[in-house]
Amino acid sequence: MPRTAAPSAPADQWRPALAPALMLRHDPVRGTDLLVLPERVVVLTGRAGTVVGLCDGSRTVPGIVGELSERFPGAPVAGTVPAFLDSLRREGWLT
């Protein structure tokens, strides 16, 4: 899948969603989440699957950060999640 340029919308207004051709799946054998692309599979480590699972187009980035902060108190989500989401957007995996 070709990489696309990041949209100009500020992160606090962006409502990330998976690109149409991608799917988030859980692999019970490996016990991990997978991002299924048209011609490959990306294994998501740590809590990446949880983060991607919140990217349904209904939440802003601050909303995702807030929800993760509640689920995982003390985790450095405010400093890591926006950059992670931006990297997925640069890959063309989030719209």
Side-chain angles (χ1 to χ4, degrees), residues 22-44:
L22 280 65
M23 293 182 292
L24 178 64
R25 294 286 181 251
H26 183 74
D27 180 351
V29 173
R30 294 182 188 159
T32 190
D33 293 312
L34 307 171
L35 192 55
V36 181
L37 290 76
E39 296 183 12
R40 71 180 197 181
V41 174
V42 176
V43 177
L44 300 173

Side-chain angles (χ1 to χ4, degrees), residues 1-93:
M1 176 171 287
R3 293 181 183 176
T4 58
S8 60
D12 63 341
Q13 296 175 9
W14 177 41
R15 295 178 183 274
L18 280 177
L22 280 65
M23 293 182 292
L24 178 64
R25 294 286 181 251
H26 183 74
D27 180 351
V29 173
R30 294 182 188 159
T32 190
D33 293 312
L34 307 171
L35 192 55
V36 181
L37 290 76
E39 296 183 12
R40 71 180 197 181
V41 174
V42 176
V43 177
L44 300 173
T45 59
R47 297 288 182 192
T50 301
V51 176
V52 172
L54 294 175
C55 296
D56 60 5
S58 70
R59 298 171 185 86
T60 62
V61 172
I64 292 169
V65 168
E67 189 163 333
L68 291 168
S69 294
E70 289 177 12
R71 289 187 192 186
F72 308 105
V77 295
T80 58
V81 170
F84 173 66
L85 294 176
D86 191 51
S87 71
L88 296 183
R89 178 169 54 176
R90 285 192 311 271
E91 289 289 336
W93 300 344

